[in-house]
PDB file of all heavy atoms in Angstrom:
ATOM      1  N   GLU A   1       0.852  -1.215  -0.003  1.00  0.00           N
ATOM      2  CA  GLU A   1       0.016   0.025   0.009  1.00  0.00           C
ATOM      3  C   GLU A   1       0.880   1.251  -0.016  1.00  0.00           C
ATOM      4  O   GLU A   1       0.597   2.232  -0.725  1.00  0.00           O
ATOM      5  CB  GLU A   1      -0.896   0.005   1.262  1.00  0.00           C
ATOM      6  CG  GLU A   1      -1.989  -1.063   1.223  1.00  0.00           C
ATOM      7  CD  GLU A   1      -2.826  -1.037   2.490  1.00  0.00           C
ATOM      8  OE1 GLU A   1      -2.493  -0.269   3.422  1.00  0.00           O
ATOM      9  OE2 GLU A   1      -3.812  -1.798   2.581  1.00  0.00           O
ATOM     10  N   ALA A   2       1.899   1.279   0.830  1.00  0.00           N
ATOM     11  CA  ALA A   2       2.790   2.434   0.914  1.00  0.00           C
ATOM     12  C   ALA A   2       3.492   2.676  -0.391  1.00  0.00           C
ATOM     13  O   ALA A   2       3.673   3.825  -0.850  1.00  0.00           O
ATOM     14  CB  ALA A   2       3.795   2.244   2.049  1.00  0.00           C
ATOM     15  N   ALA A   3       3.924   1.569  -1.053  1.00  0.00           N
ATOM     16  CA  ALA A   3       4.607   1.708  -2.329  1.00  0.00           C
ATOM     17  C   ALA A   3       3.668   2.236  -3.396  1.00  0.00           C
ATOM     18  O   ALA A   3       4.106   3.014  -4.265  1.00  0.00           O
ATOM     19  CB  ALA A   3       5.166   0.323  -2.763  1.00  0.00           C
ATOM     20  N   LYS A   4       2.424   1.855  -3.365  1.00  0.00           N
ATOM     21  CA  LYS A   4       1.437   2.359  -4.356  1.00  0.00           C
ATOM     22  C   LYS A   4       1.259   3.891  -4.154  1.00  0.00           C
ATOM     23  O   LYS A   4       1.220   4.613  -5.143  1.00  0.00           O
ATOM     24  CB  LYS A   4       0.088   1.655  -4.167  1.00  0.00           C
ATOM     25  CG  LYS A   4       0.084   0.227  -4.692  1.00  0.00           C
ATOM     26  CD  LYS A   4      -1.310  -0.392  -4.498  1.00  0.00           C
ATOM     27  CE  LYS A   4      -1.417  -1.789  -5.088  1.00  0.00           C
ATOM     28  NZ  LYS A   4      -2.780  -2.362  -4.902  1.00  0.00           N
ATOM     29  N   VAL A   5       1.139   4.317  -2.923  1.00  0.00           N
ATOM     30  CA  VAL A   5       1.031   5.736  -2.656  1.00  0.00           C
ATOM     31  C   VAL A   5       2.279   6.477  -3.133  1.00  0.00           C
ATOM     32  O   VAL A   5       2.194   7.540  -3.771  1.00  0.00           O
ATOM     33  CB  VAL A   5       0.746   6.020  -1.195  1.00  0.00           C
ATOM     34  CG1 VAL A   5       0.781   7.513  -0.897  1.00  0.00           C
ATOM     35  CG2 VAL A   5      -0.579   5.441  -0.740  1.00  0.00           C
ATOM     36  N   ALA A   6       3.446   5.892  -2.826  1.00  0.00           N
ATOM     37  CA  ALA A   6       4.707   6.522  -3.265  1.00  0.00           C
ATOM     38  C   ALA A   6       4.796   6.645  -4.785  1.00  0.00           C
ATOM     39  O   ALA A   6       5.178   7.708  -5.316  1.00  0.00           O
ATOM     40  CB  ALA A   6       5.882   5.718  -2.747  1.00  0.00           C
ATOM     41  N   ALA A   7       4.376   5.590  -5.512  1.00  0.00           N
ATOM     42  CA  ALA A   7       4.378   5.654  -6.962  1.00  0.00           C
ATOM     43  C   ALA A   7       3.373   6.666  -7.461  1.00  0.00           C
ATOM     44  O   ALA A   7       3.616   7.362  -8.487  1.00  0.00           O
ATOM     45  CB  ALA A   7       4.068   4.276  -7.520  1.00  0.00           C
ATOM     46  N   ALA A   8       2.268   6.831  -6.765  1.00  0.00           N
ATOM     47  CA  ALA A   8       1.267   7.838  -7.143  1.00  0.00           C
ATOM     48  C   ALA A   8       1.798   9.231  -6.885  1.00  0.00           C
ATOM     49  O   ALA A   8       1.564  10.145  -7.675  1.00  0.00           O
ATOM     50  CB  ALA A   8      -0.006   7.611  -6.377  1.00  0.00           C
ATOM     51  N   VAL A   9       2.514   9.403  -5.761  1.00  0.00           N
ATOM     52  CA  VAL A   9       3.091  10.683  -5.473  1.00  0.00           C
ATOM     53  C   VAL A   9       4.081  11.128  -6.495  1.00  0.00           C
ATOM     54  O   VAL A   9       4.171  12.318  -6.881  1.00  0.00           O
ATOM     55  CB  VAL A   9       3.780  10.641  -4.054  1.00  0.00           C
ATOM     56  CG1 VAL A   9       4.797  11.744  -3.881  1.00  0.00           C
ATOM     57  CG2 VAL A   9       2.714  10.649  -2.965  1.00  0.00           C
ATOM     58  N   LYS A  10       4.831  10.160  -7.069  1.00  0.00           N
ATOM     59  CA  LYS A  10       5.818  10.477  -8.073  1.00  0.00           C
ATOM     60  C   LYS A  10       5.181  11.130  -9.301  1.00  0.00           C
ATOM     61  O   LYS A  10       5.815  11.895 -10.020  1.00  0.00           O
ATOM     62  CB  LYS A  10       6.620   9.225  -8.490  1.00  0.00           C
ATOM     63  CG  LYS A  10       7.587   8.751  -7.429  1.00  0.00           C
ATOM     64  CD  LYS A  10       8.513   7.650  -7.971  1.00  0.00           C
ATOM     65  CE  LYS A  10       7.750   6.390  -8.269  1.00  0.00           C
ATOM     66  NZ  LYS A  10       8.681   5.258  -8.567  1.00  0.00           N
ATOM     67  N   LEU A  11       3.922  10.795  -9.572  1.00  0.00           N
ATOM     68  CA  LEU A  11       3.234  11.378 -10.727  1.00  0.00           C
ATOM     69  C   LEU A  11       3.044  12.883 -10.547  1.00  0.00           C
ATOM     70  O   LEU A  11       2.852  13.566 -11.538  1.00  0.00           O
ATOM     71  CB  LEU A  11       1.881  10.693 -10.901  1.00  0.00           C
ATOM     72  CG  LEU A  11       1.894   9.183 -11.170  1.00  0.00           C
ATOM     73  CD1 LEU A  11       0.478   8.662 -11.280  1.00  0.00           C
ATOM     74  CD2 LEU A  11       2.659   8.884 -12.452  1.00  0.00           C
ATOM     75  N   GLN A  12       3.089  13.351  -9.316  1.00  0.00           N
ATOM     76  CA  GLN A  12       2.898  14.763  -9.054  1.00  0.00           C
ATOM     77  C   GLN A  12       4.235  15.562  -8.968  1.00  0.00           C
ATOM     78  O   GLN A  12       4.215  16.759  -8.841  1.00  0.00           O
ATOM     79  CB  GLN A  12       2.151  14.964  -7.724  1.00  0.00           C
ATOM     80  CG  GLN A  12       0.768  14.354  -7.697  1.00  0.00           C
ATOM     81  CD  GLN A  12       0.061  14.637  -6.401  1.00  0.00           C
ATOM     82  OE1 GLN A  12       0.141  15.743  -5.822  1.00  0.00           O
ATOM     83  NE2 GLN A  12      -0.699  13.637  -5.880  1.00  0.00           N
ATOM     84  N   ASP A  13       5.320  14.872  -9.041  1.00  0.00           N
ATOM     85  CA  ASP A  13       6.622  15.534  -8.892  1.00  0.00           C
ATOM     86  C   ASP A  13       7.728  14.796  -9.620  1.00  0.00           C
ATOM     87  O   ASP A  13       8.398  13.942  -9.061  1.00  0.00           O
ATOM     88  CB  ASP A  13       6.982  15.634  -7.403  1.00  0.00           C
ATOM     89  CG  ASP A  13       8.342  16.300  -7.175  1.00  0.00           C
ATOM     90  OD1 ASP A  13       8.714  17.105  -8.020  1.00  0.00           O
ATOM     91  OD2 ASP A  13       9.001  15.966  -6.172  1.00  0.00           O
ATOM     92  N   LYS A  14       7.936  15.121 -10.867  1.00  0.00           N
ATOM     93  CA  LYS A  14       8.975  14.468 -11.667  1.00  0.00           C
ATOM     94  C   LYS A  14      10.383  14.998 -11.288  1.00  0.00           C
ATOM     95  O   LYS A  14      11.376  14.384 -11.663  1.00  0.00           O
ATOM     96  CB  LYS A  14       8.712  14.713 -13.144  1.00  0.00           C
ATOM     97  CG  LYS A  14       7.489  13.981 -13.668  1.00  0.00           C
ATOM     98  CD  LYS A  14       7.656  12.474 -13.556  1.00  0.00           C
ATOM     99  CE  LYS A  14       6.467  11.736 -14.133  1.00  0.00           C
ATOM    100  NZ  LYS A  14       6.575  10.292 -13.993  1.00  0.00           N
ATOM    101  N   THR A  15      10.429  16.120 -10.574  1.00  0.00           N
ATOM    102  CA  THR A  15      11.764  16.652 -10.233  1.00  0.00           C
ATOM    103  C   THR A  15      12.408  15.894  -9.071  1.00  0.00           C
ATOM    104  O   THR A  15      13.630  15.867  -8.950  1.00  0.00           O
ATOM    105  CB  THR A  15      11.665  18.158  -9.805  1.00  0.00           C
ATOM    106  OG1 THR A  15      10.930  18.242  -8.569  1.00  0.00           O
ATOM    107  CG2 THR A  15      10.926  18.950 -10.889  1.00  0.00           C
ATOM    108  N   GLY A  16      11.589  15.270  -8.249  1.00  0.00           N
ATOM    109  CA  GLY A  16      12.090  14.496  -7.118  1.00  0.00           C
ATOM    110  C   GLY A  16      12.313  15.266  -5.859  1.00  0.00           C
ATOM    111  O   GLY A  16      12.581  14.706  -4.800  1.00  0.00           O
ATOM    112  N   LYS A  17      12.184  16.601  -5.872  1.00  0.00           N
ATOM    113  CA  LYS A  17      12.520  17.400  -4.709  1.00  0.00           C
ATOM    114  C   LYS A  17      11.472  17.191  -3.622  1.00  0.00           C
ATOM    115  O   LYS A  17      11.820  16.884  -2.445  1.00  0.00           O
ATOM    116  CB  LYS A  17      12.590  18.869  -5.081  1.00  0.00           C
ATOM    117  CG  LYS A  17      13.759  19.180  -6.008  1.00  0.00           C
ATOM    118  CD  LYS A  17      13.796  20.689  -6.361  1.00  0.00           C
ATOM    119  CE  LYS A  17      14.951  21.000  -7.303  1.00  0.00           C
ATOM    120  NZ  LYS A  17      14.986  22.417  -7.709  1.00  0.00           N
ATOM    121  N   LYS A  18      10.208  17.320  -3.922  1.00  0.00           N
ATOM    122  CA  LYS A  18       9.167  17.097  -2.933  1.00  0.00           C
ATOM    123  C   LYS A  18       9.060  15.594  -2.647  1.00  0.00           C
ATOM    124  O   LYS A  18       8.737  15.220  -1.495  1.00  0.00           O
ATOM    125  CB  LYS A  18       7.825  17.614  -3.470  1.00  0.00           C
ATOM    126  CG  LYS A  18       7.742  19.152  -3.429  1.00  0.00           C
ATOM    127  CD  LYS A  18       6.422  19.613  -4.080  1.00  0.00           C
ATOM    128  CE  LYS A  18       5.217  19.146  -3.282  1.00  0.00           C
ATOM    129  NZ  LYS A  18       3.950  19.684  -3.840  1.00  0.00           N
ATOM    130  N   TYR A  19       9.321  14.767  -3.649  1.00  0.00           N
ATOM    131  CA  TYR A  19       9.164  13.323  -3.422  1.00  0.00           C
ATOM    132  C   TYR A  19      10.168  12.872  -2.329  1.00  0.00           C
ATOM    133  O   TYR A  19       9.817  12.047  -1.494  1.00  0.00           O
ATOM    134  CB  TYR A  19       9.478  12.573  -4.701  1.00  0.00           C
ATOM    135  CG  TYR A  19       9.554  11.068  -4.498  1.00  0.00           C
ATOM    136  CD1 TYR A  19       8.405  10.281  -4.464  1.00  0.00           C
ATOM    137  CD2 TYR A  19      10.761  10.475  -4.315  1.00  0.00           C
ATOM    138  CE1 TYR A  19       8.477   8.911  -4.233  1.00  0.00           C
ATOM    139  CE2 TYR A  19      10.854   9.089  -4.067  1.00  0.00           C
ATOM    140  CZ  TYR A  19       9.702   8.333  -4.037  1.00  0.00           C
ATOM    141  OH  TYR A  19       9.794   6.948  -3.799  1.00  0.00           O
ATOM    142  N   PHE A  20      11.365  13.387  -2.336  1.00  0.00           N
ATOM    143  CA  PHE A  20      12.393  12.941  -1.364  1.00  0.00           C
ATOM    144  C   PHE A  20      11.956  13.373   0.014  1.00  0.00           C
ATOM    145  O   PHE A  20      12.245  12.661   0.986  1.00  0.00           O
ATOM    146  CB  PHE A  20      13.758  13.502  -1.742  1.00  0.00           C
ATOM    147  CG  PHE A  20      14.889  12.836  -0.974  1.00  0.00           C
ATOM    148  CD1 PHE A  20      15.029  11.443  -1.001  1.00  0.00           C
ATOM    149  CD2 PHE A  20      15.794  13.565  -0.237  1.00  0.00           C
ATOM    150  CE1 PHE A  20      16.046  10.825  -0.283  1.00  0.00           C
ATOM    151  CE2 PHE A  20      16.818  12.967   0.466  1.00  0.00           C
ATOM    152  CZ  PHE A  20      16.926  11.574   0.448  1.00  0.00           C
ATOM    153  N   ASP A  21      11.305  14.531   0.148  1.00  0.00           N
ATOM    154  CA  ASP A  21      10.791  14.932   1.455  1.00  0.00           C
ATOM    155  C   ASP A  21       9.746  13.924   1.913  1.00  0.00           C
ATOM    156  O   ASP A  21       9.788  13.462   3.061  1.00  0.00           O
ATOM    157  CB  ASP A  21      10.168  16.336   1.302  1.00  0.00           C
ATOM    158  CG  ASP A  21       9.591  16.856   2.637  1.00  0.00           C
ATOM    159  OD1 ASP A  21      10.088  16.369   3.691  1.00  0.00           O
ATOM    160  OD2 ASP A  21       8.722  17.712   2.602  1.00  0.00           O
ATOM    161  N   PHE A  22       8.807  13.564   1.021  1.00  0.00           N
ATOM    162  CA  PHE A  22       7.848  12.529   1.352  1.00  0.00           C
ATOM    163  C   PHE A  22       8.495  11.239   1.727  1.00  0.00           C
ATOM    164  O   PHE A  22       8.106  10.560   2.712  1.00  0.00           O
ATOM    165  CB  PHE A  22       6.900  12.360   0.136  1.00  0.00           C
ATOM    166  CG  PHE A  22       6.192  10.984   0.106  1.00  0.00           C
ATOM    167  CD1 PHE A  22       5.061  10.775   0.838  1.00  0.00           C
ATOM    168  CD2 PHE A  22       6.704   9.970  -0.663  1.00  0.00           C
ATOM    169  CE1 PHE A  22       4.405   9.506   0.805  1.00  0.00           C
ATOM    170  CE2 PHE A  22       6.087   8.737  -0.682  1.00  0.00           C
ATOM    171  CZ  PHE A  22       4.934   8.506   0.074  1.00  0.00           C
ATOM    172  N   HIS A  23       9.477  10.829   0.952  1.00  0.00           N
ATOM    173  CA  HIS A  23      10.188   9.562   1.142  1.00  0.00           C
ATOM    174  C   HIS A  23      10.772   9.499   2.546  1.00  0.00           C
ATOM    175  O   HIS A  23      10.664   8.492   3.269  1.00  0.00           O
ATOM    176  CB  HIS A  23      11.264   9.418   0.064  1.00  0.00           C
ATOM    177  CG  HIS A  23      12.159   8.257   0.264  1.00  0.00           C
ATOM    178  ND1 HIS A  23      11.791   6.964  -0.076  1.00  0.00           N
ATOM    179  CD2 HIS A  23      13.434   8.173   0.728  1.00  0.00           C
ATOM    180  CE1 HIS A  23      12.827   6.106   0.196  1.00  0.00           C
ATOM    181  NE2 HIS A  23      13.816   6.824   0.674  1.00  0.00           N
ATOM    182  N   GLN A  24      11.431  10.569   2.957  1.00  0.00           N
ATOM    183  CA  GLN A  24      12.070  10.594   4.253  1.00  0.00           C
ATOM    184  C   GLN A  24      11.040  10.587   5.400  1.00  0.00           C
ATOM    185  O   GLN A  24      11.201   9.903   6.406  1.00  0.00           O
ATOM    186  CB  GLN A  24      12.959  11.845   4.386  1.00  0.00           C
ATOM    187  CG  GLN A  24      14.137  11.826   3.453  1.00  0.00           C
ATOM    188  CD  GLN A  24      14.888  13.141   3.477  1.00  0.00           C
ATOM    189  OE1 GLN A  24      15.899  13.298   4.185  1.00  0.00           O
ATOM    190  NE2 GLN A  24      14.431  14.104   2.698  1.00  0.00           N
ATOM    191  N   ARG A  25       9.964  11.326   5.200  1.00  0.00           N
ATOM    192  CA  ARG A  25       8.908  11.355   6.216  1.00  0.00           C
ATOM    193  C   ARG A  25       8.307   9.945   6.449  1.00  0.00           C
ATOM    194  O   ARG A  25       8.122   9.508   7.603  1.00  0.00           O
ATOM    195  CB  ARG A  25       7.784  12.316   5.804  1.00  0.00           C
ATOM    196  CG  ARG A  25       8.184  13.810   5.866  1.00  0.00           C
ATOM    197  CD  ARG A  25       7.074  14.678   5.314  1.00  0.00           C
ATOM    198  NE  ARG A  25       7.460  16.076   5.247  1.00  0.00           N
ATOM    199  CZ  ARG A  25       7.325  16.932   6.258  1.00  0.00           C
ATOM    200  NH1 ARG A  25       6.764  16.525   7.393  1.00  0.00           N
ATOM    201  NH2 ARG A  25       7.687  18.179   6.123  1.00  0.00           N
ATOM    202  N   LEU A  26       7.995   9.269   5.352  1.00  0.00           N
ATOM    203  CA  LEU A  26       7.367   7.983   5.475  1.00  0.00           C
ATOM    204  C   LEU A  26       8.311   6.907   5.976  1.00  0.00           C
ATOM    205  O   LEU A  26       7.959   6.115   6.853  1.00  0.00           O
ATOM    206  CB  LEU A  26       6.781   7.547   4.105  1.00  0.00           C
ATOM    207  CG  LEU A  26       6.032   6.217   4.094  1.00  0.00           C
ATOM    208  CD1 LEU A  26       4.918   6.165   5.119  1.00  0.00           C
ATOM    209  CD2 LEU A  26       5.471   5.965   2.684  1.00  0.00           C
ATOM    210  N   LEU A  27       9.524   6.947   5.475  1.00  0.00           N
ATOM    211  CA  LEU A  27      10.498   5.915   5.858  1.00  0.00           C
ATOM    212  C   LEU A  27      10.859   6.017   7.323  1.00  0.00           C
ATOM    213  O   LEU A  27      11.073   5.015   7.994  1.00  0.00           O
ATOM    214  CB  LEU A  27      11.745   6.051   4.989  1.00  0.00           C
ATOM    215  CG  LEU A  27      12.806   4.917   5.125  1.00  0.00           C
ATOM    216  CD1 LEU A  27      12.188   3.553   4.831  1.00  0.00           C
ATOM    217  CD2 LEU A  27      13.985   5.173   4.196  1.00  0.00           C
ATOM    218  N   MET A  28      10.946   7.239   7.851  1.00  0.00           N
ATOM    219  CA  MET A  28      11.364   7.432   9.229  1.00  0.00           C
ATOM    220  C   MET A  28      10.193   7.601  10.185  1.00  0.00           C
ATOM    221  O   MET A  28      10.392   7.882  11.370  1.00  0.00           O
ATOM    222  CB  MET A  28      12.296   8.670   9.330  1.00  0.00           C
ATOM    223  CG  MET A  28      13.593   8.524   8.537  1.00  0.00           C
ATOM    224  SD  MET A  28      14.451   6.956   8.889  1.00  0.00           S
ATOM    225  CE  MET A  28      14.868   7.188  10.622  1.00  0.00           C
ATOM    226  N   GLY A  29       8.930   7.441   9.704  1.00  0.00           N
ATOM    227  CA  GLY A  29       7.791   7.541  10.555  1.00  0.00           C
ATOM    228  C   GLY A  29       7.697   6.393  11.547  1.00  0.00           C
ATOM    229  O   GLY A  29       8.260   5.338  11.337  1.00  0.00           O
ATOM    230  N   ARG A  30       6.964   6.608  12.598  1.00  0.00           N
ATOM    231  CA  ARG A  30       6.795   5.600  13.618  1.00  0.00           C
ATOM    232  C   ARG A  30       5.750   4.571  13.189  1.00  0.00           C
ATOM    233  O   ARG A  30       4.786   4.875  12.488  1.00  0.00           O
ATOM    234  CB  ARG A  30       6.359   6.230  14.964  1.00  0.00           C
ATOM    235  CG  ARG A  30       7.436   7.111  15.552  1.00  0.00           C
ATOM    236  CD  ARG A  30       6.956   7.617  16.932  1.00  0.00           C
ATOM    237  NE  ARG A  30       7.979   8.418  17.608  1.00  0.00           N
ATOM    238  CZ  ARG A  30       7.836   8.956  18.814  1.00  0.00           C
ATOM    239  NH1 ARG A  30       6.687   8.805  19.466  1.00  0.00           N
ATOM    240  NH2 ARG A  30       8.795   9.650  19.347  1.00  0.00           N
ATOM    241  N   GLY A  31       5.932   3.354  13.613  1.00  0.00           N
ATOM    242  CA  GLY A  31       4.979   2.301  13.337  1.00  0.00           C
ATOM    243  C   GLY A  31       5.128   1.795  11.921  1.00  0.00           C
ATOM    244  O   GLY A  31       5.990   2.202  11.143  1.00  0.00           O
ATOM    245  N   GLN A  32       4.211   0.857  11.585  1.00  0.00           N
ATOM    246  CA  GLN A  32       4.235   0.207  10.284  1.00  0.00           C
ATOM    247  C   GLN A  32       3.686   1.148   9.210  1.00  0.00           C
ATOM    248  O   GLN A  32       2.620   1.729   9.388  1.00  0.00           O
ATOM    249  CB  GLN A  32       3.438  -1.094  10.324  1.00  0.00           C
ATOM    250  CG  GLN A  32       4.100  -2.165  11.127  1.00  0.00           C
ATOM    251  CD  GLN A  32       5.354  -2.720  10.458  1.00  0.00           C
ATOM    252  OE1 GLN A  32       5.315  -3.205   9.321  1.00  0.00           O
ATOM    253  NE2 GLN A  32       6.476  -2.615  11.139  1.00  0.00           N
ATOM    254  N   ALA A  33       4.411   1.254   8.112  1.00  0.00           N
ATOM    255  CA  ALA A  33       3.930   2.044   6.963  1.00  0.00           C
ATOM    256  C   ALA A  33       2.788   1.319   6.311  1.00  0.00           C
ATOM    257  O   ALA A  33       2.787   0.115   6.125  1.00  0.00           O
ATOM    258  CB  ALA A  33       5.047   2.291   5.982  1.00  0.00           C
ATOM    259  N   ASP A  34       1.745   2.090   5.940  1.00  0.00           N
ATOM    260  CA  ASP A  34       0.621   1.536   5.203  1.00  0.00           C
ATOM    261  C   ASP A  34      -0.026   2.680   4.397  1.00  0.00           C
ATOM    262  O   ASP A  34       0.580   3.777   4.290  1.00  0.00           O
ATOM    263  CB  ASP A  34      -0.367   0.869   6.128  1.00  0.00           C
ATOM    264  CG  ASP A  34      -0.862   1.802   7.233  1.00  0.00           C
ATOM    265  OD1 ASP A  34      -0.681   3.035   7.135  1.00  0.00           O
ATOM    266  OD2 ASP A  34      -1.455   1.312   8.223  1.00  0.00           O
ATOM    267  N   LYS A  35      -1.180   2.418   3.861  1.00  0.00           N
ATOM    268  CA  LYS A  35      -1.853   3.443   3.069  1.00  0.00           C
ATOM    269  C   LYS A  35      -2.079   4.750   3.841  1.00  0.00           C
ATOM    270  O   LYS A  35      -1.756   5.837   3.386  1.00  0.00           O
ATOM    271  CB  LYS A  35      -3.194   2.916   2.533  1.00  0.00           C
ATOM    272  CG  LYS A  35      -3.993   3.918   1.758  1.00  0.00           C
ATOM    273  CD  LYS A  35      -5.349   3.297   1.349  1.00  0.00           C
ATOM    274  CE  LYS A  35      -6.257   4.339   0.716  1.00  0.00           C
ATOM    275  NZ  LYS A  35      -7.556   3.768   0.292  1.00  0.00           N
ATOM    276  N   ALA A  36      -2.598   4.614   5.041  1.00  0.00           N
ATOM    277  CA  ALA A  36      -2.912   5.823   5.835  1.00  0.00           C
ATOM    278  C   ALA A  36      -1.665   6.609   6.173  1.00  0.00           C
ATOM    279  O   ALA A  36      -1.636   7.843   6.034  1.00  0.00           O
ATOM    280  CB  ALA A  36      -3.633   5.414   7.119  1.00  0.00           C
ATOM    281  N   LYS A  37      -0.610   5.913   6.594  1.00  0.00           N
ATOM    282  CA  LYS A  37       0.638   6.597   6.943  1.00  0.00           C
ATOM    283  C   LYS A  37       1.260   7.274   5.690  1.00  0.00           C
ATOM    284  O   LYS A  37       1.763   8.363   5.770  1.00  0.00           O
ATOM    285  CB  LYS A  37       1.645   5.587   7.513  1.00  0.00           C
ATOM    286  CG  LYS A  37       1.250   4.992   8.872  1.00  0.00           C
ATOM    287  CD  LYS A  37       1.521   5.941   9.978  1.00  0.00           C
ATOM    288  CE  LYS A  37       1.177   5.322  11.331  1.00  0.00           C
ATOM    289  NZ  LYS A  37       1.951   4.169  11.660  1.00  0.00           N
ATOM    290  N   ALA A  38       1.142   6.585   4.578  1.00  0.00           N
ATOM    291  CA  ALA A  38       1.722   7.138   3.329  1.00  0.00           C
ATOM    292  C   ALA A  38       0.946   8.369   2.879  1.00  0.00           C
ATOM    293  O   ALA A  38       1.556   9.378   2.454  1.00  0.00           O
ATOM    294  CB  ALA A  38       1.731   6.073   2.242  1.00  0.00           C
ATOM    295  N   LEU A  39      -0.362   8.308   2.954  1.00  0.00           N
ATOM    296  CA  LEU A  39      -1.157   9.469   2.536  1.00  0.00           C
ATOM    297  C   LEU A  39      -0.936  10.645   3.452  1.00  0.00           C
ATOM    298  O   LEU A  39      -0.872  11.816   3.042  1.00  0.00           O
ATOM    299  CB  LEU A  39      -2.634   9.106   2.494  1.00  0.00           C
ATOM    300  CG  LEU A  39      -3.041   8.163   1.342  1.00  0.00           C
ATOM    301  CD1 LEU A  39      -4.504   7.747   1.530  1.00  0.00           C
ATOM    302  CD2 LEU A  39      -2.812   8.828  -0.022  1.00  0.00           C
ATOM    303  N   ALA A  40      -0.756  10.379   4.747  1.00  0.00           N
ATOM    304  CA  ALA A  40      -0.457  11.455   5.708  1.00  0.00           C
ATOM    305  C   ALA A  40       0.915  12.086   5.413  1.00  0.00           C
ATOM    306  O   ALA A  40       1.054  13.318   5.448  1.00  0.00           O
ATOM    307  CB  ALA A  40      -0.487  10.901   7.123  1.00  0.00           C
ATOM    308  N   ALA A  41       1.881  11.259   5.086  1.00  0.00           N
ATOM    309  CA  ALA A  41       3.227  11.770   4.729  1.00  0.00           C
ATOM    310  C   ALA A  41       3.164  12.589   3.452  1.00  0.00           C
ATOM    311  O   ALA A  41       3.843  13.626   3.343  1.00  0.00           O
ATOM    312  CB  ALA A  41       4.222  10.617   4.587  1.00  0.00           C
ATOM    313  N   ALA A  42       2.333  12.162   2.510  1.00  0.00           N
ATOM    314  CA  ALA A  42       2.198  12.905   1.280  1.00  0.00           C
ATOM    315  C   ALA A  42       1.590  14.271   1.540  1.00  0.00           C
ATOM    316  O   ALA A  42       2.050  15.288   0.955  1.00  0.00           O
ATOM    317  CB  ALA A  42       1.289  12.103   0.282  1.00  0.00           C
ATOM    318  N   LYS A  43       0.570  14.326   2.350  1.00  0.00           N
ATOM    319  CA  LYS A  43      -0.009  15.605   2.698  1.00  0.00           C
ATOM    320  C   LYS A  43       0.944  16.545   3.402  1.00  0.00           C
ATOM    321  O   LYS A  43       1.040  17.709   3.078  1.00  0.00           O
ATOM    322  CB  LYS A  43      -1.261  15.354   3.568  1.00  0.00           C
ATOM    323  CG  LYS A  43      -2.036  16.646   3.857  1.00  0.00           C
ATOM    324  CD  LYS A  43      -3.298  16.326   4.656  1.00  0.00           C
ATOM    325  CE  LYS A  43      -4.131  17.569   4.920  1.00  0.00           C
ATOM    326  NZ  LYS A  43      -5.370  17.273   5.657  1.00  0.00           N
ATOM    327  N   GLU A  44       1.711  15.974   4.329  1.00  0.00           N
ATOM    328  CA  GLU A  44       2.689  16.778   5.065  1.00  0.00           C
ATOM    329  C   GLU A  44       3.770  17.326   4.148  1.00  0.00           C
ATOM    330  O   GLU A  44       4.300  18.387   4.385  1.00  0.00           O
ATOM    331  CB  GLU A  44       3.352  15.916   6.170  1.00  0.00           C
ATOM    332  CG  GLU A  44       2.405  15.553   7.276  1.00  0.00           C
ATOM    333  CD  GLU A  44       3.035  14.560   8.232  1.00  0.00           C
ATOM    334  OE1 GLU A  44       4.191  14.144   7.982  1.00  0.00           O
ATOM    335  OE2 GLU A  44       2.346  14.133   9.196  1.00  0.00           O
ATOM    336  N   ALA A  45       4.084  16.579   3.095  1.00  0.00           N
ATOM    337  CA  ALA A  45       5.140  17.027   2.133  1.00  0.00           C
ATOM    338  C   ALA A  45       4.592  17.969   1.089  1.00  0.00           C
ATOM    339  O   ALA A  45       5.333  18.424   0.210  1.00  0.00           O
ATOM    340  CB  ALA A  45       5.759  15.805   1.474  1.00  0.00           C
TER     341      ALA A  45
END
């Protein structure tokens, strides 16, 4: 689920700048990553 959200996020940012912010937020977040955690990280980024 997290990977699907990440791949969807990439569609909004081909430069990678905002994506890497999202990537760090989700990877270093607490608990198990899933759809909800990934969407929250996307919004925060």
Side-chain angles (χ1 to χ4, degrees):
E1 291 177 355
K4 287 181 177 180
V5 174
V9 162
K10 287 190 293 189
L11 299 177
Q12 300 183 39
D13 178 28
K14 291 297 183 182
T15 67
K17 294 180 181 179
K18 287 175 63 177
Y19 173 84
F20 194 54
D21 181 23
F22 158 81
H23 174 76
Q24 294 173 96
R25 290 174 184 272
L26 181 55
L27 189 58
M28 298 309 296
R30 292 184 177 181
Q32 289 291 301
D34 55 16
K35 175 183 174 180
K37 294 280 182 64
L39 289 174
K43 185 176 181 179
E44 291 171 1

